[in-house]
Amino acid sequence: RKGKKFVKDPQVAADLQVGDELYAGNDLDRGHIARRADLVWGSLPVAERANRDSFCFTNIAPQMDDFNQSARDGVWGKLEDAVFADVDVEDLKVSVFGGPVFAADDRVYRGVRLPREYWKVLAFREAGAVKARAFLLTQALDQLEALELDEFRVFQVTVSEIEARCGLRFPEALQEAHPLPLADEVGERKPLATLADIRW
């Protein structure tokens, strides 16, 4: 990671990407969508390329620094590690999907709409069965100029809820692989306070 700079992705037109101009002189962080540490595996050439690619702006979304940096030590930043600690994951393989939740009323800052929410879905096999666990993280952006930030919150949700919020469609196997009781708690559930609150 040392010495790596964020760069625009050469595979995407530069005018379709947001670069360093968004992050100068404020408390926005360049938040990785896919964690760099999760991408650097395989042969050395493959891992080195993945390491470089992780610093492309196409893998970055604007996040408040308190949200992004605190999350590394909180529930959000430890989800991928927690599944291995609490679940007997077959072949030690987990597929992670994630990204921002875009909304029509997202705040515009320097000409860029800033997402207030991010989602993540972890898919894995346990005892021969495909399982998927979905999570939603919220950040407050209303006080961007005043630098008075509300704390972020992490919720465990269903895959179908992520689909509804984002207009995505996951394979049927993942739609059916989340804990069913969560569907009855939409709008009522409490944020995850610790990793022990996760229903694997």
Side-chain angles (χ1 to χ4, degrees), residues 9 30 43 46 56 78-79 91 96-97 100 102 104 109 121 127 130 133 145-146 156 163 167 185-186:
D9 190 332
R30 300 160 185 83
S43 66
V46 168
C56 286
K78 295 180 179 178
L79 288 174
D91 299 323
V96 181
F97 307 88
F102 295 117
Y109 178 72
V121 173
V130 174
R133 299 297 181 261
E145 301 295 348
Q156 187 168 8
E163 290 182 322
E185 299 175 9
V186 175

Side-chain angles (χ1 to χ4, degrees), residues 109-148:
Y109 178 72
R110 295 184 179 175
V112 177
R113 291 187 182 274
L114 303 181
R116 291 188 301 269
E117 298 179 324
Y118 289 83
W119 62 273
K120 190 177 291 187
V121 173
L122 278 61
F124 53 91
R125 283 186 177 272
E126 182 184 29
V130 174
K131 295 191 174 182
R133 299 297 181 261
F135 303 89
L136 186 71
L137 189 152
T138 65
Q139 67 175 337
L141 295 167
D142 294 337
Q143 303 298 325
L144 182 60
E145 301 295 348
L147 306 182
E148 297 172 0

Side-chain angles (χ1 to χ4, degrees), residues 32-33 35 63 67-68 70-81 97-99 117-121 134-138 152-155 192 195 198:
H32 281 79
I33 303 270
R35 299 192 314 175
Q63 299 173 356
F67 164 101
N68 187 29
S70 296
R72 292 180 187 141
D73 292 324
V75 173
W76 186 256
K78 295 180 179 178
L79 288 174
E80 289 90 339
D81 298 329
F97 307 88
E117 298 179 324
Y118 289 83
W119 62 273
K120 190 177 291 187
V121 173
F135 303 89
L136 186 71
L137 189 152
T138 65
F152 58 85
R153 296 176 297 165
V154 180
F155 295 90
L192 300 173
L195 295 175
I198 298 173

Side-chain angles (χ1 to χ4, degrees), residues 4 12 29 35 42 47 76 137 140 151 161 172 199:
K4 294 292 182 185
V12 178
D29 261 4
R35 299 192 314 175
W76 186 256
L137 189 152
E151 64 178 305
E161 193 171 338
E172 188 173 338
R199 301 183 191 182

Side-chain angles (χ1 to χ4, degrees), residues 5-187:
K5 294 183 178 180
F6 292 94
V7 296
K8 290 195 173 181
D9 190 332
Q11 300 177 92
V12 178
D15 62 346
L16 299 179
Q17 302 179 62
V18 176
D20 279 321
E21 66 277 4
L22 179 64
Y23 302 92
N26 56 43
D27 282 346
L28 285 177
D29 261 4
R30 300 160 185 83
H32 281 79
I33 303 270
R35 299 192 314 175
R36 183 196 69 87
D38 291 338
L39 302 176
V40 289
W41 54 273
S43 66
L44 184 58
V46 168
E48 287 176 336
R49 176 172 178 173
N51 189 49
R52 289 192 305 271
D53 287 350
S54 77
F55 285 92
C56 286
F57 277 108
T58 45
N59 187 39
I60 301 301
Q63 299 173 356
M64 295 305 298
D65 62 352
D66 187 53
F67 164 101
N68 187 29
Q69 294 168 16
S70 296
R72 292 180 187 141
D73 292 324
V75 173
W76 186 256
K78 295 180 179 178
L79 288 174
E80 289 90 339
D81 298 329
V83 66
F84 289 110
D86 296 336
V87 179
D88 184 14
V89 177
E90 290 183 10
D91 299 323
L92 298 178
K93 292 181 180 178
V94 174
S95 293
V96 181
F97 307 88
V101 178
F102 295 117
D105 63 347
D106 282 340
R107 177 174 177 185
V108 177
Y109 178 72
R110 295 184 179 175
V112 177
R113 291 187 182 274
L114 303 181
R116 291 188 301 269
E117 298 179 324
Y118 289 83
W119 62 273
K120 190 177 291 187
V121 173
L122 278 61
F124 53 91
R125 283 186 177 272
E126 182 184 29
V130 174
K131 295 191 174 182
R133 299 297 181 261
F135 303 89
L136 186 71
L137 189 152
T138 65
Q139 67 175 337
L141 295 167
D142 294 337
Q143 303 298 325
L144 182 60
E145 301 295 348
L147 306 182
E148 297 172 0
L149 309 178
D150 292 336
E151 64 178 305
F152 58 85
R153 296 176 297 165
V154 180
F155 295 90
Q156 187 168 8
V157 298
T158 61
V159 172
S160 59
E161 193 171 338
I162 298 297
E163 290 182 322
R165 283 176 176 264
C166 301
L168 300 172
R169 183 70 176 167
F170 287 99
E172 188 173 338
L174 293 190
Q175 295 173 31
E176 297 174 351
H178 58 70
L180 297 178
L182 288 176
D184 298 328
E185 299 175 9
V186 175

